[in-house]
Amino acid sequence: MRALAFSAVALSLAVLSGCTLYEDQTLYDFAKMEPVALQREDTLYVDIGTTAGRPYLTKGWWTDDEKDNYGRTFVWGTETRAEMTFGVTEVQDLEAVVNCRPVKGPQAQTIQFDVNEQPLGKPLQMGSEFGDYRIFIPSRVLKIGRNALGFSFAYADRPGEAQALGPNPGADPNAPSLPGGPQPSDVRRLSVCFDSVLFAPYNLQERVMKMASRGTEPLYVAELRQQGHEVIVQRLPGERAFFLRIPDRAELTFQCGFAPEDWKAIEGGEFRVTMTIDGQDPQVLYSQYLDPRKRRSHRKLIRKSVDLEKWAGQIAAFTLSVKAGYEKVAYPTYGIWVEPKIYHRSYVWGKKQPVLAQQAESPAIGELRSRLRSSSVAIILLDAASASHLGCYGYHLPTTPNLDRIAAEGVQFMNAYCQAVYTRASTGSLMTGEYPDLHRVLFARDGLPDTALTIAETFTAGGFRTGGFIGNPHAGENAGYRQGFADYVEMFRMPGYRNLAGDFLPHLIPWFEKNKERRFFAYIHFREPHWISDPPREYLAKFATGYKGKIDPQADRDKINLGRVEMDQGALEHIVSVYDATLNYADGVVGTLYDDLKRRGILDKTILIILADHGEALWEHGYFGHNTRVHENMAHIPLIMQFPAGIGVPQPRKIQGLTQTIDLPATFADVFGNEELKKRAAGRSLLPVLAGEPDPGAEFVFTRTLPGSARFGVRSGRWEYAYRPRTGDQELYDLWTDRLERRNLASERPVLAGFLQQQLRAWMRDQEALAAVAAAPAAATLDAETRRNLQALGYLDAGDGVEEVER
């Protein structure tokens, strides 16, 4: 897994002042980290409808960028309100020029502007074509950093065929029709489409336009890059903050200064490097005022280095900032930082530091690998089973006596997490070892590409008989997950199936009996306790609370989430009791299957793995369901393994290190020596920890919700961090002291929050780059039976059913 492990590039240098040789290792290259750094500078120009403009759009926008016949790019507002963000480094009066046009509707469209929810003037009546709307933004409504510019409209309308966006006046009627704008029979609800927004200090619009037209970098920077230098360019005033854990024997080095083309345009500026550690006063590591107009010595790059040894091991924010000395002539100028890096220096007298040999694998791991190859494997997945509701994970009610018994005899991973908090994507990660953006099964319309490699194919190639038994269509054939299975039973297609886990047994027992003399791989995906099913009455009675109210846990979930049905403590306890009863029923079925397999001797040579695809929110954060947040209730899953006696796995044992779903395919790839799956699976092999070696766990685990206005989560040690890129909302929790996530520490621990956000953004960037060259998802086919079952589970809208709406 890639943390901000910006590769250790070894550089051997000689010290000119003596004969000492040493090795330098680049541990952090700030120029390479810049795309994920926290950047603070004045937003000047946002070209809406472009890749660069998309991150500024937060609420109320269509998901795609569009273009008209003349190459104008834009994005439609789809509600009666839309919002975007912009940044300021100094509170001062601003002007904004918004270029936009309304959808053609039944009445004149109006637009009302506000900043940080403070109205700016009265609503303006809009013309029918693209036009500039100039607004004054007083300093009193602004704050340093991120601000929100809001637009409110009189209406949003379905444009239809007669209201399609036509060509501009004087357009060539023969010009090719390009995608964009309302098309014939367009049924979207649209309000206003936006082309661009220009921000500038009051009465400096022309100067800022000149800056925008100049581009982003001086020519001198291009020359430096041609010479092989890493360069960061900062518009004045501006900041770049880089978050990292300071290594041992670390040294920060950089050069800084102004480009020659700016020497006569400015009257100096301050370059500063500040280090911030949570709970400590900021440390100014370097500060110098450079004035190339008055001092020739400032017309060359200033070279500096800072020893960081006394802060080793601490998480810190390193902020590179440049501030103009004379504000009104600062436009358009840039400060540059050349080769800003942190090195790890190991001194060696007379010879180079020897390269350490890779540690040899212990014999126990090799022996375990050989034994595991000869064992069968059975995976039992409980759909939407939150780890926190299992007795073996500390739940106070006896919901899972059978799972508790299996965990007490096997290996229990206490901190296991899924890669997505909804079935379709999470199952894809279990099947392939890839993150959702790579296996490409994100929406209900997506299926696994034929080029994917599944664990079922790996077992088949290893000579195993493979069987899949599926209760949730999102884990089934329509998603492409049949790939590699010799036997495959979608339970919802079977006559007499009542959406109960017990209905699996007449199919499972014969299959296990038939294949017990050979190696097999079985994947069993129960439906329970997904949201709230209908377990037999005796299970409901075991957990009943005596509730006499009218809330129906199944029918009223969405109404409760939307605030249309009022929740109270009695209703909450009732809903939780139904979930617990459903989980208890599934546990009973697992116990029945377990005892049968043990009686038949099948478990004597079978590795049993029990886990969930994701968890379930039960009002811990004022919400029921899943696929909406990345909190513990949705992301923390049970993972229990039990191995045959004598196979070489120490058990019983509890493993505290961070583990994740994608570790299972990585482990299977290791066991079978499947090099292709090793290359694709993003997790880590669990063989060392299963062999009894100490396990620190993964450094970071990542999870996400459905795309769109997605939320992402990263966990590291005791910390959980949640981030919503579209809005910038962030949450930080200490899971050692606050497992229920009641206290958001993001504002109290800003450096730690920034560090985890940077890890997350680096991971997201990696996924986007890999996805850009990955195979496209296959088109899923939802037949009538699949559609009915998904709707019964609450997955699909009653309409076309192409999107997953696991609320």
Side-chain angles (χ1 to χ4, degrees):
M1 176 161 318
R2 294 178 62 176
L4 283 180
F6 293 90
S7 60
V9 180
L11 301 174
S12 295
L13 302 175
V15 178
L16 298 179
S17 58
C19 60
T20 304
L21 296 179
Y22 57 89
E23 285 191 354
D24 279 346
Q25 287 185 315
T26 303
L27 299 177
Y28 293 97
D29 186 332
F30 287 4
K32 291 181 179 177
M33 295 169 63
E34 188 179 15
V36 296
L38 177 62
Q39 302 188 22
R40 179 179 291 173
E41 60 187 16
D42 293 329
T43 300
L44 299 182
Y45 182 75
V46 180
D47 188 0
I48 300 177
T50 66
T51 302
R54 175 59 67 171
Y56 292 92
L57 310 183
T58 54
K59 300 177 182 177
W61 304 92
W62 185 246
T63 55
D64 296 325
D65 302 330
E66 303 183 49
K67 183 186 293 186
D68 65 14
N69 292 355
Y70 289 87
R72 184 197 304 266
T73 58
F74 54 84
V75 176
W76 281 98
T78 59
E79 311 288 344
T80 55
R81 179 171 174 78
E83 288 185 8
M84 65 177 292
T85 63
F86 65 99
V88 299
T89 59
E90 181 179 349
V91 172
Q92 58 181 318
D93 293 342
L94 299 179
E95 279 186 298
V97 179
V98 181
N99 187 265
C100 57
R101 63 145 285 177
V103 69
K104 297 178 182 178
Q107 65 190 72
Q109 181 67 288
T110 62
I111 183 169
Q112 167 76 57
F113 300 99
D114 63 83
V115 168
N116 297 328
E117 300 184 350
Q118 298 296 312
L120 302 178
K122 298 179 179 180
L124 303 177
Q125 184 166 320
M126 301 185 68
S128 60
E129 302 299 332
F130 278 103
D132 287 339
Y133 297 86
R134 187 182 299 263
I135 55 174
F136 172 71
I137 304 176
S139 59
R140 60 179 174 79
V141 302
L142 293 171
K143 57 186 178 182
I144 292 177
R146 186 182 180 119
N147 292 264
L149 174 59
F151 315 95
S152 298
F153 317 112
Y155 65 88
D157 192 35
R158 301 185 190 279
E161 182 174 359
Q163 298 167 19
L165 182 63
N168 291 334
D172 179 359
N174 298 317
S177 177
L178 299 176
Q183 302 297 316
S185 70
D186 196 332
V187 296
R188 297 178 295 171
R189 286 182 57 83
L190 306 177
S191 50
V192 172
C193 66
F194 289 78
D195 173 33
S196 63
V197 182
L198 173 71
F199 297 92
Y202 188 60
N203 288 333
L204 286 178
Q205 296 245 356
E206 289 186 6
R207 192 183 297 271
V208 172
M209 281 298 292
K210 177 183 176 183
M211 183 174 188
S213 65
R214 165 180 165 166
T216 58
E217 295 182 349
L219 294 176
Y220 180 58
V221 173
E223 295 174 7
L224 289 170
R225 289 191 171 133
Q226 287 177 358
Q227 297 168 13
H229 295 291
E230 299 281 356
V231 184
I232 291 176
V233 184
Q234 285 183 268
R235 194 177 68 232
L236 276 65
E239 295 180 351
R240 302 287 189 276
F242 303 86
F243 299 83
L244 53 93
R245 190 185 303 276
I246 302 173
D248 292 334
R249 298 188 299 278
E251 182 178 26
L252 170 66
T253 66
F254 58 88
Q255 299 176 64
C256 62
F258 291 108
E261 52 260 57
D262 285 337
W263 289 349
K264 296 181 179 180
I266 62 173
E267 290 191 7
E270 181 189 34
F271 287 75
R272 175 175 291 194
V273 179
T274 305
M275 184 187 69
T276 306
I277 296 172
D278 282 333
Q280 300 182 18
D281 293 333
Q283 300 275 336
V284 178
L285 303 181
Y286 167 75
S287 178
Q288 187 168 0
Y289 188 89
L290 302 181
D291 189 352
R293 291 182 63 177
K294 297 180 179 179
R295 300 188 64 178
R296 285 188 171 273
S297 61
H298 291 176
R299 294 187 179 183
K300 62 181 181 179
L301 297 175
I302 306 299
R303 185 188 302 268
K304 291 293 179 182
S305 64
V306 181
D307 185 359
L308 304 176
E309 175 63 23
K310 63 181 177 181
W311 297 291
Q314 301 197 59
I315 292 174
F318 289 84
T319 302
L320 311 184
S321 63
V322 186
K323 185 175 181 180
Y326 186 59
E327 179 184 335
K328 290 192 177 181
V329 295
Y331 293 94
T333 54
Y334 301 87
I336 58 177
W337 303 82
V338 181
E339 304 290 351
K341 297 179 180 181
I342 290 180
Y343 290 99
H344 174 88
R345 178 170 293 168
S346 299
Y347 289 92
V348 181
W349 295 93
K351 63 179 180 178
K352 293 183 179 180
Q353 182 80 347
V355 177
L356 296 178
Q358 184 175 359
Q359 187 174 358
E361 180 180 273
S362 71
I365 296 176
E367 293 172 7
L368 177 59
R369 183 182 293 110
S370 178
R371 294 192 185 106
L372 291 177
R373 287 176 182 168
S374 63
S375 301
S376 294
V377 177
I379 294 179
I380 298 177
L381 187 145
L382 303 180
D383 201 306
S386 290
S388 60
H389 278 253
L390 275 66
C392 54
Y393 285 88
Y395 196 51
H396 64 286
L397 295 177
T399 52
T400 54
N402 292 291
L403 295 179
D404 299 347
R405 168 169 55 110
I406 296 169
E409 297 174 358
V411 180
Q412 182 181 0
F413 293 84
M414 304 305 294
N415 292 290
Y417 291 88
C418 58
Q419 266 52 70
V421 290
Y422 62 110
T423 300
R424 202 169 186 93
S426 180
T427 303
S429 292
L430 173 60
M431 290 294 163
T432 66
E434 295 179 319
Y435 288 108
D437 284 294
L438 269 294
H439 65 63
R440 309 309 299 275
V441 188
L442 295 167
F443 296 96
R445 61 174 177 257
D446 298 333
L448 198 66
D450 292 338
T451 54
L453 177 63
T454 67
I455 55 174
E457 290 175 300
T458 301
F459 278 101
T460 297
F464 288 63
R465 184 68 180 185
T466 54
F469 302 85
I470 312 300
N472 185 335
H474 271 312
E477 184 174 5
N478 79 88
Y481 298 146
R482 182 170 186 163
Q483 190 169 314
F485 284 100
D487 305 314
Y488 204 74
V489 180
E490 293 188 310
M491 293 303 306
F492 54 88
R493 300 186 188 280
M494 297 295 103
Y497 178 60
R498 301 165 296 168
N499 291 322
L500 292 175
D503 294 339
F504 280 64
L505 297 177
H507 298 270
L508 290 173
I509 300 300
W511 189 88
F512 280 115
E513 178 63 25
K514 179 181 178 180
N515 293 289
K516 69 178 183 179
E517 299 303 327
R518 62 184 301 180
R519 292 180 305 163
F520 61 76
F521 167 63
Y523 175 66
I524 303 160
H525 191 123
F526 288 139
R527 172 176 164 171
E528 291 89 352
H530 182 282
W531 174 229
I532 291 180
S533 302
D534 290 313
R537 288 185 173 274
E538 59 267 29
Y539 291 90
L540 291 170
K542 288 168 61 175
F543 294 88
T545 63
Y547 177 70
K548 303 298 183 182
K550 298 181 179 179
I551 282 183
D552 183 328
Q554 292 174 312
D556 293 337
R557 177 182 65 171
D558 289 344
K559 296 177 183 178
I560 295 170
N561 286 337
L562 293 172
R564 297 173 184 168
V565 173
E566 186 175 352
M567 277 292 300
D568 57 43
Q569 187 62 29
L572 173 59
E573 292 173 357
H574 169 60
I575 293 173
V576 172
S577 76
V578 177
Y579 179 83
D580 287 345
T582 308
L583 178 59
N584 183 238
Y585 166 68
D587 175 82
V589 175
V590 171
T592 299
L593 177 61
Y594 179 87
D595 291 341
D596 187 275
L597 296 180
K598 192 167 188 177
R599 179 177 58 81
R600 296 171 188 269
I602 294 174
L603 286 183
D604 293 340
K605 53 184 179 181
T606 299
I607 301 164
L608 178 63
I609 301 173
I610 301 172
L611 77 162
D613 51 352
H614 55 80
E616 194 80 2
L618 295 171
W619 208 249
E620 296 91 339
H621 293 271
Y623 205 92
F624 288 114
H626 50 273
N627 195 24
T628 56
R629 306 290 191 275
V630 288
H631 293 129
E632 284 285 284
N633 50 21
M634 298 189 197
H636 183 209
I637 59 172
L639 177 58
I640 300 166
M641 300 183 188
Q642 192 177 93
F643 295 84
I647 202 171
V649 175
Q651 50 185 1
R653 198 155 42 117
K654 294 182 187 294
I655 306 298
Q656 298 295 334
L658 286 175
T659 315
Q660 51 193 331
T661 302
I662 55 176
D663 290 343
L664 290 176
T667 304
F668 297 144
D670 188 358
V671 170
F672 293 106
N674 189 312
E675 295 302 322
E676 183 61 24
L677 186 57
K678 281 183 183 180
K679 182 173 69 174
R680 297 188 185 200
R684 65 192 179 100
S685 173
L686 298 176
L687 277 189
V689 65
L690 293 175
E693 294 191 355
D695 179 49
E699 186 175 7
F700 304 100
V701 298
F702 302 97
T703 192
R704 64 167 301 157
T705 65
L706 191 73
S709 185
R711 299 173 190 268
F712 296 86
V714 56
R715 282 160 180 79
S716 179
R718 65 194 291 177
W719 303 104
E720 172 198 331
Y721 178 80
Y723 180 56
R724 192 178 190 185
R726 184 65 64 87
T727 62
D729 295 340
Q730 58 177 352
E731 300 169 66
L732 175 68
Y733 300 102
D734 182 351
L735 298 180
W736 287 8
T737 61
D738 182 24
R739 196 78 190 192
L740 296 178
E741 305 144 310
R742 299 287 174 79
R743 184 181 176 187
N744 182 0
L745 301 174
S747 60
E748 297 178 37
R749 300 289 301 270
V751 174
L752 178 60
F755 173 71
L756 294 174
Q757 182 189 128
Q758 193 163 282
Q759 304 295 333
L760 184 57
R761 292 175 64 194
W763 170 78
M764 292 167 60
R765 189 176 176 84
D766 281 348
Q767 296 307 300
E768 290 172 1
L770 293 169
V773 296
T781 301
L782 302 183
D783 57 43
E785 185 63 37
T786 302
R787 191 182 299 276
R788 281 195 295 270
N789 199 270
L790 289 174
Q791 288 175 352
L793 281 168
Y795 280 121
L796 298 180
D797 287 322
D800 61 9
V802 297
E803 298 297 341
E804 187 165 21
V805 288
E806 292 187 65
R807 296 182 292 269

